[in-house]
Amino acid sequence: AQKVTQAQTEISVVEKEDVTLDCVYETRDTTYYLFWYKQPPSGELVFLIRRNSFDEQNEISGRYSWNFQKSTSSFNFTITASQVVDSAVYFCALSANTGNQFYFGTGTSLTVIP
Amino acid sequence: GAVVSQHPSRVICKSGTSVKIECRSLDFQATTMFWYRQFPKQSLMLMATSNEGSKATYEQGVEKDKFLINHASLTLSTLTVTSAHPEDSSFYICSARDVPSGVYWKETQYFGPGTRLLVL
């Protein structure tokens, strides 16, 4: 069975602080993909990153970075120097392959206070 | 990149009426599309998988006679909520599977912008 757990329901930080959003997943597949999406109030899902199970390299994109640890089945997301525009709900998702259904976590609502 | 559109973006209807939501892949052909539902402050839950030219596969607990899915072409899937009731009010999001040039290791999935349904 596939499952994604985002234990943090809501997080509030003051602008310019760093924040890490946690994601833990469960799967029996040896090949799988992990995703992070941002959902602003408009509702549209904004793709942030895709990672396949064979690539454990951490990735940095501007203020965003991701830490993929297969040993702990975690795929955490860090925003450095947070900004008000980062306020949104962030979803971590798992898929057996990119063309299959996604299993979403329950989301973490991030509020960045100016 | 590939784009998926949904129409309408927002709809308000009276209880008992039917509502049709369209999901289109704009610059690629999608043999498979997925329909998700998201209630306020909750996660996205898969409702059904729509395959072009065949019947949709529904997840457990989703009434197939209430949520009619038609995937008549490689670029269009429709979800019809029949006899809608207030409890059907939700955010409906579709996604479409793109297999560039038939190369399966390149396949990816794109999400539409969603449709907000409010049933009064």
Side-chain angles (χ1 to χ4, degrees), chain B:
Chain B
V3 176
V4 174
S5 70
Q6 281 185 242
H7 178 79
S9 58
R10 187 182 296 265
V11 57
I12 301 173
C13 69
K14 293 183 179 180
S15 185
T17 60
S18 294
V19 175
K20 180 186 283 188
I21 302 170
E22 294 184 347
C23 176
R24 293 182 184 273
S25 55
L26 298 184
D27 50 3
F28 65 99
Q29 294 184 329
T31 56
T32 303
M33 292 184 174
F34 302 92
W35 287 96
Y36 294 83
R37 179 169 56 183
Q38 184 182 29
F39 292 109
K41 298 191 182 296
Q42 294 189 27
S43 187
L44 289 82
M45 299 300 293
L46 181 69
M47 297 175 66
T49 301
S50 168
N51 293 300
E52 187 268 336
S54 64
K55 291 183 178 180
T57 303
Y58 291 83
E59 295 299 299
Q60 195 171 9
V62 177
E63 300 175 57
K64 61 181 180 181
D65 294 330
K66 180 170 183 62
F67 298 98
L68 301 179
I69 291 173
N70 185 0
H71 194 156
S73 78
L74 287 171
T75 59
L76 174 64
S77 175
T78 60
L79 168 67
T80 301
V81 183
T82 62
S83 187
H85 290 287
E87 58 265 30
D88 298 323
S89 299
S90 186
F91 190 54
Y92 293 86
I93 303 177
C94 72
S95 67
R97 179 188 183 194
D98 180 21
V99 185
S101 303
V103 179
Y104 279 87
W105 66 266
K106 290 184 178 180
E107 67 179 330
T108 193
Q109 208 173 127
Y110 300 95
F111 285 87
T115 297
R116 291 198 187 279
L117 170 63
L118 176 61
V119 185
L120 303 176

